[in-house]
Amino acid sequence: MKIVIIGAGAMGSLYGAKLSAVTDTPVCLLDVWQDQVKEINARGLTVEDVSSPEPRVYRNLRAFQDPAGIGPADLVIIFVKSTLTAQAVRTGRAVFGENTPALTLQNGLGNIEGIAETLPRTSIIAGTTAQGATLLGPGRIRHAGKGKTVIGELDGSISPRLKAAADLFNRAGLETEISANVEGLIWDKLLVNVGINALTAVTRLRNGGLLAHEELAELLAAAVTEGVRVAGAKGIKLNVPDPVAHTREVCAATGENQSSMLQDILKGRPTEIDMINGAILREGAAWGIAAPVNGVLTKLVKFFEKTGAGERGPA
Ligand code: NAD
């Protein structure tokens, strides 16, 4: 099975490395980052794991900057930041054959729509992942946290291609389940990100810090509640019965983590704010639902994106 991953950063490298251990054909990684491509081709991909003393080097991988060198795949996984999905699929078009499924496990809203600008919706499989990875440098990542991957067809069917992808992931040690409600899944995860990411980015606190301050816990609840209202208006069936309580639980369970949005701000990189809190604001406006807390958080994060971490010291 020929697997291509578009976006070989932290998560693309993690999935690429794990999958490369169970495929005969090398996993192909497509990225615009030249040093990453060179390093992976020269020395393989090194994965540090919190639970093992020695890093493991994966070599059954080939990295590319040009999709024409890869050709059509049997499965493409998209792992660029969600703001770049549409562009990356457009420029990576050559890796999609007539029947190639495109799987998105990215965070935020709009990835499906971004892929659908280039490919038919029927080619898209979506899902969420509770795996975590950190990029340490070219050719090197840390597998920072393990958790379930859940995938589903947009029409809720349990198709052979979905089962094949889930089987493959499970064989690779990436625990994976199938869901008939992928839209609900995406929103479940979105609401957690809505509650945690922007607030940690603005306050420079680790996830657990949000629960230590009453004011912030209230803002978390308000941001998530606005999202729940928007989800309700759109007819999304959430799988999580109480998204505010669930977000608080995630905050507590990942108390020592720096959210990806905080990491992006501290490193002066663009964030996914437009696809997270900004998406609640946009979707809310379309349905006549006000989302003022998400509006303020979006503007604050955009301000920090512009001014960088230098305006305030790191946490
Ligand atoms: P990352 O920034 O580490 O990696 C993204 C990669 O995409 C980079 O290497 C970048 O060079 C590459 N890229 C950019 N434009 C491209 C293009 N046009 N074509 C090909 N490659 C391109 O990001 P990440 O942390 O791996 O996150 C990817 C997605 O997964 C995000 O939506 C994120 O929210 C989600 N996610 C991340 C984690 C995590 O622990 N890191 C966990 C769950 C979900």
Side-chain angles (χ1 to χ4, degrees), residues 37 40 42-43 74 94 108 129 134 141 147 175 200 240 255 261 279 292 296:
V37 168
I40 290 170
R43 272 174 281 276
D74 298 312
T129 173
T134 310
I141 60 159
E175 185 192 355
T200 50
V240 172
M261 200 173 285
V296 170

Side-chain angles (χ1 to χ4, degrees), residues 6-12 30-33 79-82 84 87-88 91 105-107 129 131-133 135 189 260 272:
I6 302 184
M11 292 299 280
L30 176 63
D31 204 296
V32 292
W33 180 21
F79 260 134
V80 294
K81 294 279 194 176
S82 52
L84 299 170
Q87 179 195 327
T91 52
L105 296 172
Q106 301 149 280
N107 282 330
T129 173
Q131 298 283 353
L135 196 60
K189 178 109 193 262
S260 57
E272 294 182 302

Side-chain angles (χ1 to χ4, degrees), residues 83 198 201-202 204 261 265 269-279 281-282 294-309 311:
T83 45
V202 167
R204 311 292 208 262
M261 200 173 285
I265 288 290
R269 298 185 304 219
T271 73
E272 294 182 302
I273 187 72
D274 277 332
M275 319 310 259
I276 299 179
N277 304 77
L281 195 65
R282 248 185 348 265
N294 282 286
V296 170
L297 288 172
T298 302
K299 286 201 167 65
L300 285 171
V301 170
K302 280 177 175 287
F303 165 74
F304 284 122
E305 263 184 355
K306 271 198 309 201
T307 54
E311 290 282 307

Side-chain angles (χ1 to χ4, degrees), residues 240-265:
V240 172
D242 184 344
V244 172
H246 176 61
T247 306
R248 293 173 62 96
E249 282 160 19
V250 173
C251 246
T254 60
E256 280 309 304
N257 285 10
Q258 265 184 346
S259 76
S260 57
M261 200 173 285
L262 172 54
Q263 290 182 41
D264 287 339
I265 288 290

Side-chain angles (χ1 to χ4, degrees), residues 50-263:
V50 279
S51 58
S52 96
E54 287 297 316
R56 178 166 170 191
V57 182
Y58 293 84
R59 297 190 194 279
N60 189 28
L61 299 145
R62 303 283 176 273
F64 299 81
Q65 282 187 282
D66 181 358
I70 303 177
D74 298 312
L75 172 67
V76 176
I77 310 174
I78 295 131
F79 260 134
V80 294
K81 294 279 194 176
S82 52
T83 45
L84 299 170
T85 301
Q87 179 195 327
V89 172
R90 195 166 49 245
T91 52
R93 180 72 182 86
V95 302
F96 295 94
E98 207 181 319
N99 295 312
T100 307
L103 170 62
T104 163
L105 296 172
Q106 301 149 280
N107 282 330
L109 220 55
N111 292 301
I112 293 170
E113 293 70 17
I115 300 169
E117 285 182 21
T118 298
L119 302 172
R121 274 180 79 86
T122 47
S123 70
I124 303 172
I125 306 174
T128 57
T129 173
Q131 298 283 353
T134 310
L135 196 60
L136 300 175
R140 197 173 188 99
I141 60 159
R142 180 179 301 124
H143 191 181
K146 298 191 175 76
K148 251 182 230 165
T149 302
V150 189
I151 58 176
E153 293 282 356
L154 303 189
D155 65 3
S157 63
I158 311 297
S159 63
R161 68 181 186 181
L162 195 62
K163 286 193 203 156
D167 283 350
L168 180 73
F169 284 16
N170 280 312
R171 270 191 283 129
L174 297 159
E175 185 192 355
T176 299
E177 288 178 1
I178 285 174
S179 166
N181 176 20
V182 74
E183 206 175 23
L185 266 182
I186 290 170
W187 273 79
D188 291 337
K189 178 109 193 262
L190 174 71
L191 293 175
V192 170
N193 289 326
V194 159
I196 296 177
N197 288 21
L199 268 175
T200 50
V202 167
T203 58
R204 311 292 208 262
L205 290 170
R206 288 173 192 269
N207 295 357
L210 299 182
L211 301 180
H213 300 274
E214 200 181 317
E215 308 82 352
L216 301 179
E218 280 172 18
L219 283 173
L220 177 153
V224 174
T225 302
E226 288 176 2
V228 171
R229 280 193 209 116
V230 176
K234 286 175 65 77
I236 309 285
K237 290 193 184 70
L238 299 173
N239 302 292
V240 172
D242 184 344
V244 172
H246 176 61
T247 306
R248 293 173 62 96
E249 282 160 19
V250 173
C251 246
T254 60
E256 280 309 304
N257 285 10
Q258 265 184 346
S259 76
S260 57
M261 200 173 285
L262 172 54
Q263 290 182 41

